[in-house]
Amino acid sequence: VNDTVYWCELALVGDTVCQRVAIRARGGRFVAIDVAVDQPVDSTRLAGLTIPGMANAHSHAFHRALRGRTQVGSGSFWTWRDVMYRAAERLDPDNYYRLARATFAEMALAGVTVVGEFHYLHHQPDGGAYDDPNAMGEALLAAASEAGIRITLLDTLYLHGGLGGGGYAEPAGVQRRYSDGSAENWVERVEALGPASTHSIGAAIHSVRAVDPDSMRVVSDWASGRGAVLHAHVSEQTVENDQCVAHHGITPTGLLERSGVLSPEFSAVHATHLNSADIAMYATAGSTVCMCPTTERDLGDGIGPTAALTEAGVAMSLGTDSHAVIDMFEEARAVELDERLVSNRRGVHSAAELMSMATLNGHRSLGWDDAGSIAVGNRADAVTIALDSVRTAGTAQASALEAVVFAATATDITHVVVDGVVVVEDGRHLRMDVAQELETSITELMGP
Ligand SMILES: [Zn+2]
């Protein structure tokens, strides 16, 4: 077996930026990390800063087709959702595969080595199953594989059209595509999806609006029985909190906790509107919170309590969610910059902490415990960022991580390795023309 050796000008090893780092990979794993060494013969030199692979812990691939289109006019989360539903109506396994492949390839260019795809578009437009009931999920697995990144398919239970004065509503319109009819049917369908070395199957509860407590328990029991991760949208909107309190007499987090959903394998997505009791429940359970700041600001959701979560010891991960932009540096710095606007303080979250959210914490949230840091034995994922672009030139070595987190963009990424395989070289995806694939697949779906 041949080793691949990279020699990094600078590399993030643990929480420290080290100089002249030789990284040796074999069979998709790191087998040696040597700091402060001369360039080994037959090694590839990586200029700039090399960091671990980044995890995009919350994605809905098809939302990529909405970029720009949803920025026309005014409205709210709920009017945005109407436009999103219109795109959801048009998807089938073939056009979904092409759109997702291009979107995941855009993520690869942005240094994402694993995506958590929160997937609820399961069935035909009238709600009937495809011949292969997992045709849509399998399209996503194939798309990630073609794009060169790993995926955790967070197969999502969605049963109800909403939670209002009359309790849970029947799914209506495009929502019929989302529903399996019962949690037991969901289990039966998901059981047919098997894990592999480059994908894993996780579970998701869409939200307290779409899943009742008894059905939550079924999903939670399935996930804990399989050792699978479990995600849910939680408290993105105050309306959801109000409806949940009115109907169940408890917050969405409280309802999840009471239904046995919280655990170290659970991730609450958004968690924008939490009270202190909610935060304490996540801390006690050892659950993770996935922040999606560029989506939350795009939709006018609000700013999540990241300082309070950190203070309580709750780990956070990051997701690009609606793909208003796909740039993990933008997500990472938004966590800190939004907090500055709220608290009038600087440096609540350090660059190293923000980078951990984008790397280690995200991998943990998606169930990849052997990835997310440059360490011997881990999966050989690495992302190199140029320090000589117009955004990063003049960076001091002592603050290279700060420069990347607070000023770099996805465009500054030159080299991406996933499981030891080079996917991006000199800023180009080696398997496809990503811009062209996006253009073709989105125009096909949405029209010119
Ligand atoms: Zn989402």
Side-chain angles (χ1 to χ4, degrees), residues 415-437:
H415 212 82
V416 179
V417 178
V418 184
D419 286 322
V421 176
V422 179
V423 177
V424 174
E425 198 170 63
D426 297 328
R428 285 179 306 107
H429 198 290
L430 292 181
R431 299 188 192 171
M432 66 188 89
D433 180 339
V434 181
Q436 184 61 55
E437 297 266 346

Side-chain angles (χ1 to χ4, degrees), residues 213-274:
D214 287 343
S215 302
M216 287 176 196
R217 279 186 188 281
V218 174
V219 177
S220 177
D221 288 348
W222 181 88
S224 60
R226 293 296 181 290
V229 296
L230 174 59
H231 286 214
H233 291 129
V234 184
S235 297
E236 181 176 6
Q237 292 285 318
T238 52
V239 171
E240 174 181 298
N241 285 7
D242 296 343
Q243 290 172 339
C244 191
V245 169
H247 188 76
H248 293 291
I250 194 167
T251 62
T253 299
L255 186 65
L256 292 164
E257 196 267 349
R258 194 165 76 187
S259 306
V261 169
L262 303 193
S263 78
E265 285 71 45
F266 177 73
S267 292
V269 180
H270 300 302
T272 310
H273 303 284
L274 301 184

Side-chain angles (χ1 to χ4, degrees), residues 55-60 63 116 118 154 231-234 236 267-272 289-306 309 316-325 327-328 330-335 338 357 365:
N56 188 355
H58 190 68
S59 159
H60 307 281
H63 291 190
F118 198 105
L154 299 159
H231 286 214
H233 291 129
V234 184
E236 181 176 6
S267 292
V269 180
H270 300 302
T272 310
V289 165
C290 178
M291 290 287 163
C292 309
T294 69
T295 294
E296 288 145 12
R297 72 190 184 200
D298 182 49
L299 298 181
D301 292 342
I303 299 172
T306 60
L309 286 163
M316 282 173 276
S317 62
L318 302 171
T320 64
D321 187 8
S322 68
H323 313 314
V325 294
D327 188 330
M328 298 303 290
E330 188 62 37
E331 301 297 335
R333 62 179 161 257
V335 169
D338 288 354
M357 295 178 194
S365 165

Side-chain angles (χ1 to χ4, degrees), residues 73-96:
S74 56
S76 67
F77 170 88
W78 306 101
T79 55
W80 169 88
R81 193 179 72 160
D82 291 339
V83 180
M84 184 269 281
Y85 276 9
R86 288 202 287 278
E89 285 168 356
R90 300 176 185 172
L91 290 161
D92 60 46
D94 292 331
N95 63 24
Y96 203 7

